[in-house]
Amino acid sequence: MRVVVFDRTDKLAAAWRPGALLYRGLRRIDATYGATSWDDAIAWLASRPEPIRELQYWGHGTWGTVLVNREAVDASTLSRLAPVRAALAPDALVWFRTCETFGSPAGLDFAARAADYLGARVAGHTYVIGYYQSGLHGLAPGVAPDWSPREGVVPGVATGKPSGRGEPNTITCLRGTVPRPWFAR
């Protein structure tokens, strides 16, 4: 089963909802859910009738953090995702389609810990994302991140660099896969 969960409390849900419907129509995903909190998202994911092969989360993030309704999951709170871990298929992919989550030293730490804790491949971005989604990297359990903690970071600024065609590891929001070469080895 391939699923998309998005933060339905955010104004961007007006884009994420039809985007998820498009992905469903293109047969890139099998189910979609608009969550109001982490507890809501986790309960829905844990109730899936089949193992989850791919989970994409569309929402907000920042360095080493993923947010639902401004509620954070980071490296110190990954244990909240235990029911999600139990619902994942072997060799599953968990893709955080959120801004900056894999950027900065905190993002590299989160990526490594998330892959190890979930026992799954993870993917995420180091840049602020929108139509263009730059700084996309993947990581398998037990593998160290191989991208720079400075990628996407603007020194002295609280938010990262905006995505663009010329930035590293860029896709558009219409691409439904993480290119294999972009996984750390």
Side-chain angles (χ1 to χ4, degrees):
M1 172 164 269
R2 299 161 303 161
V3 301
V4 166
V5 173
F6 63 90
D7 182 350
R8 82 168 178 219
T9 69
D10 191 87
K11 64 183 176 186
L12 287 176
W16 295 326
R17 185 174 289 110
L21 290 173
L22 173 65
Y23 266 45
R24 221 166 155 186
L26 293 171
R27 298 181 184 210
R28 291 181 182 165
I29 60 169
D30 304 307
T32 183
Y33 185 70
T36 59
S37 68
W38 276 112
D39 288 341
D40 183 28
I42 291 165
W44 184 81
L45 290 163
S47 73
R48 295 303 82 217
E50 300 172 34
I52 299 169
R53 291 188 339 244
E54 181 176 327
L55 161 60
Q56 290 188 32
Y57 174 67
W58 300 357
H60 292 292
T62 188
W63 318 118
T65 304
V66 184
L67 304 163
V68 175
N69 196 14
R70 297 186 182 133
E71 179 187 4
V73 164
D74 60 24
S76 70
T77 57
L78 281 168
S79 62
R80 288 190 70 185
L81 302 181
V84 175
R85 179 180 62 193
L88 295 174
D91 199 38
L93 171 64
V94 177
W95 186 354
F96 300 102
R97 289 188 98 159
T98 56
C99 296
E100 307 166 343
T101 297
F102 279 16
S104 82
L108 274 70
D109 180 56
F110 175 79
R113 287 190 186 195
D116 290 346
Y117 181 77
L118 294 171
R121 294 171 302 129
V122 296
H125 301 268
T126 60
Y127 282 66
V128 174
I129 64 172
Y131 176 78
Y132 290 108
Q133 300 182 350
S134 300
L136 175 56
H137 296 279
L139 197 62
V143 176
D146 64 356
W147 59 94
S148 170
R150 294 182 306 278
E151 184 180 282
V153 175
V154 180
V157 178
T159 61
K161 255 181 117 171
S163 291
R165 282 191 314 220
E167 300 301 335
N169 293 22
T170 297
I171 61 170
T172 72
C173 63
L174 301 175
R175 179 154 187 170
T177 59
V178 179
R180 285 241 175 243
W182 294 357
F183 277 84
R185 296 169 200 243

